[in-house]
């Protein structure tokens, strides 16, 4: 059942509930290493990356149990083994965010070095430099990084680039450091603000999260809490792309329009109508979208995670669009798959020129990663014949009940 089979569909109609954000919950789970006790997270998406982070916490000595409807209880009372093994880091790079909390709480951490991935090289130098500035020292041997520190000491950290992961690692370390830490050029993603609100609830003192300057006053101790995960703006964007490509009218419950301003403006330029509702978003798309140009940027710019979806939308839009990737050098690999489906796309360095065609042509394709996999599925909604997306396990890493949710709005999509 590693494949998703798609047939031309639309117009779509109906309601889709949006789950909690993958890129928030994984960091909240890592942050539970900062204090012993019993945590309860709600609005947790049922995705395999959450299972993977659960396995990592389990291997460190925590008990992780699913509870009720989208709940997760995490408990630990007797210290942890501060180690992230290769098998888990290799499956999920986000595992690297346990480094900050472990070194802050236990004075040491042993974390496997993540390798490259389908986006091209993804270094962690900024994570390490930030923790070093707080007083950690590192040794690398046998594919592992060993971090050590007496108590960390607050300082000014100027990030070379607003990296999401480096900001999170620095923030989770700084909350237990002695004195004040200022993180400048911090990432501003809503998931960072969510992490900061979780840490604040645990007893941390943080100002400015969600802006470029985060100020943290270290405390001696934190405690376990309950928290509701912020909604997944990228899942919401995926369903907006589905309706953009197939046409129709849908409602997304639980989505936060205020976390997606720039994307909503872009989709407006492409002819979609999107407005906030009391508990989500309403969206309508005409028969065929209009082409536009897009550049990815750190939040509040258009997220790199939206890009495969936008390329899929432009593939059948009216006109020519230029998409520029400014975050990940290798993030155009799925373009070849869209071309196999009849898309007219030329890539040059970090640009793609997309000449929209009336419709695509169903073909066997392979999902190279989570977002590109979802983009190939939604592209199949405007492809004549059958599109078979292999590698659907990538999609399961980040999307809960993806096929079921698409079917609920009338898409012809099956697992097979
Ligand atoms: N970078 C460095 N050195 C570092 C850290 C980052 O050079 O130490 C570079 C990266 O190579 C990249 C840029 O900085 O070119 C941005 O990377 P960032 O650190 O912001 O990304 P991340 O924390 O590794 C998270 C999300 C990604 C999302 C990016 C950008 C999680 C688990 N992952 O990754 O989401 O694309 O931010 O917004 O939060 C996904 O959900 O499928 C996904 C890949």
């Amino acid at each position: 059942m590693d494949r998703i089979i798609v047939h031309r569909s639309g117009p779509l109609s109906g309601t889709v509930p949006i789950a909690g954000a993958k890129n928030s919950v994984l960091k909240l789970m890592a942050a539970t290493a900062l204090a012993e006790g019993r945590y309860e997270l709600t609005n947790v998406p049922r995705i395999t990356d959450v299972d993977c982070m659960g396995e990592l916490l389990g291997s460190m000595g925590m008990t992780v149990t699913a509870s009720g409807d989208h709940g997760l209880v995490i408990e630990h009372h007797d210290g942890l083994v501060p180690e992230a093994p290769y098998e888990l880091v290799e499956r999920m790079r986000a595992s690297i965010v346990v480094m900050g909390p472990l070194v802050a709480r236990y004075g040491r951490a042993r974390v496997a070095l993540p390798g490259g991935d389908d986006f091209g090289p993804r270094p962690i130098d900024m994570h390490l430099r930030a923790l070093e500035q707080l007083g950690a020292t590192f040794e690398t041997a046998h594919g592992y990084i060993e971090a050590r520190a007496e108590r960390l000491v607050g300082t000014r950290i100027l990030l070379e680039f607003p990296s999401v992961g480096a900001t999170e690692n620095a923030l989770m370390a700084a909350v237990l450091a002695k004195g004040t830490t200022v993180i400048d050029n911090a990432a501003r993603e809503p998931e960072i603000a969510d992490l900061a609100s979780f840490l604040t609830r645990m007893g941390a003192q943080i100002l400015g999260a969600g802006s470029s300057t985060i100020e943290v006053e270290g405390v001696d101790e934190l405690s376990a809490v309950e928290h509701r995960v912020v909604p997944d703006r990228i899942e919401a964007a995926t369903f907006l792309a589905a309706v953009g490509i197939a046409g129709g009218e849908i409602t997304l419950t639980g989505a936060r329009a205020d976390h997606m301003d720039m994307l909503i403006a872009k989709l407006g330029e492409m002819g979609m109508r999107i407005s906030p509702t009391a508990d989500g978003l309403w969206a309508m798309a005409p028969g065929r979208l209009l082409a536009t140009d897009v550049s990815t940027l750190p939040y509040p710019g258009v997220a790199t995670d939206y890009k495969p979806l936008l390329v899929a939308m432009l593939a059948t839009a009216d006109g020519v669009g230029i998409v520029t990737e400014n975050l990940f050098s290798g993030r155009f690999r799925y373009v070849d798959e869209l071309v196999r489906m009849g898309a007219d796309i030329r890539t040059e360095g970090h640009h793609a020129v997309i000449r929209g065609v009336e419709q695509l042509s169903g073909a066997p394709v392979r999902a190279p990663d989570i977002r590109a996999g979802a983009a190939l599925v939604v592209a199949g909604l405007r492809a004549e014949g059958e599109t078979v997306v292999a590698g659907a396990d990538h999609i399961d890493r980040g999307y809960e009940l993806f096929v079921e949710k698409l079917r609920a709005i009338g898409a012809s999509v099956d697992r097979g």
Side-chain angles (χ1 to χ4, degrees):
M1 299 294 270
D2 185 28
R3 303 181 316 165
I4 294 177
I5 299 158
V6 193
H7 287 97
R8 187 170 174 141
S9 310
L12 304 179
S13 80
T15 299
V16 179
I18 295 304
K22 167 178 89 71
N23 290 348
S24 179
V25 70
L26 297 176
K27 323 307 168 60
L28 304 179
M29 291 174 78
T32 64
L34 286 165
E36 293 176 356
R38 183 181 188 277
Y39 297 81
E40 195 162 349
L41 298 176
T42 54
N43 203 30
V44 174
R46 300 269 180 251
I47 53 175
T48 55
D49 268 11
V50 166
D51 300 338
C52 188
M53 185 57 92
E55 256 181 72
L56 173 55
L57 301 187
S59 77
M60 293 183 343
M62 302 193 200
T63 319
V64 181
T65 331
S67 84
D69 177 28
H70 294 94
L72 197 66
V73 174
I74 300 173
E75 253 182 291
H76 61 110
H77 299 282
D78 315 306
L80 296 174
V81 181
E83 177 161 330
Y86 176 67
E87 307 79 73
L88 295 171
V89 177
E90 188 209 12
R91 258 163 66 197
M92 192 182 68
R93 289 182 58 89
S95 310
I96 189 78
V97 293
V98 297
M99 174 97 81
L102 288 177
V103 78
R105 173 71 180 77
Y106 294 95
R108 65 202 173 89
R110 186 165 182 271
V111 177
L113 270 167
D117 62 15
D118 267 339
F119 297 177
R122 285 178 74 181
I124 54 164
D125 55 310
M126 284 188 251
H127 299 238
L128 301 186
R129 209 169 310 126
L131 297 175
E132 223 162 39
Q133 284 177 275
L134 289 164
T137 56
F138 295 97
E139 268 178 48
T140 308
H142 309 299
Y144 278 78
I145 305 173
E146 290 218 30
R148 289 195 176 269
E150 297 300 322
R151 183 161 183 200
L152 298 174
V153 181
T155 186
R156 173 167 182 256
I157 298 169
L158 172 59
L159 293 176
E160 194 178 321
F161 180 89
S163 151
V164 171
T167 302
E168 290 163 340
N169 250 331
L171 175 61
M172 287 190 274
V175 290
L176 285 181
K178 187 171 160 42
T180 312
T181 300
V182 175
I183 308 171
D184 259 332
N185 200 20
R188 291 183 274 170
E189 273 70 1
E191 295 77 23
I192 305 250
D194 198 33
L195 173 62
S197 86
F198 179 71
L199 295 168
T200 302
R201 202 165 286 172
M202 287 174 71
Q205 292 188 24
I206 304 170
L207 290 175
S211 78
S212 297
T213 304
I214 304 178
E215 193 174 320
V216 183
E217 192 59 46
V219 296
D220 291 336
E221 213 178 11
L222 297 166
S223 53
V225 291
E226 291 178 10
H227 184 84
R228 184 177 169 80
V229 181
V230 74
D232 198 317
R233 62 200 163 94
I234 307 164
E235 189 197 22
T238 305
F239 287 95
L240 293 179
V243 75
I245 288 169
E249 183 178 340
I250 60 168
T251 303
L252 304 176
T253 52
R256 288 271 304 259
D258 58 327
H259 291 171
M260 309 173 69
D261 289 331
M262 196 65 85
L263 178 74
I264 291 173
K266 272 286 154 199
L267 298 182
E269 283 172 29
M270 294 175 78
M272 289 183 69
R273 286 173 53 202
I274 301 172
S275 44
T277 60
D279 66 342
L281 275 181
W282 167 88
M284 194 180 81
R288 192 173 178 198
L289 297 173
L290 303 170
T292 187
D293 296 337
V294 193
S295 262
T296 63
L297 278 176
Y299 191 83
V302 173
T304 174
D305 295 297
Y306 299 147
K307 196 194 55 186
L309 301 165
L310 286 159
V311 171
M313 293 167 98
L314 289 167
T316 54
D318 188 3
V320 181
I322 298 174
V323 174
T324 303
E325 169 63 47
N326 291 312
L327 277 90
F328 293 113
S329 56
R331 213 170 186 178
F332 269 127
R333 299 200 177 157
Y334 58 93
V335 161
D336 294 339
E337 303 298 287
L338 284 171
V339 169
R340 299 188 61 254
M341 293 173 67
D344 181 351
I345 307 175
R346 255 184 337 105
T347 53
E348 185 66 54
H350 61 134
H351 303 288
V353 179
I354 302 133
R355 285 170 214 283
V357 295
E358 189 78 44
Q359 70 168 351
L360 298 172
S361 162
V365 289
R366 177 161 288 279
D369 64 66
I370 306 174
R371 310 301 170 192
L376 291 171
V377 172
V378 297
L381 298 175
R382 204 181 178 101
E384 172 262 318
E386 188 173 88
T387 300
V388 180
V389 183
D393 51 316
H394 282 296
I395 299 175
D396 298 334
R397 289 185 51 190
Y399 291 88
E400 173 179 322
L401 299 175
F402 188 48
V403 164
E404 291 78 357
K405 288 183 183 183
L406 281 169
R407 286 169 70 91
I409 49 174
S412 172
V413 182
D414 275 302
R415 196 88 191 199

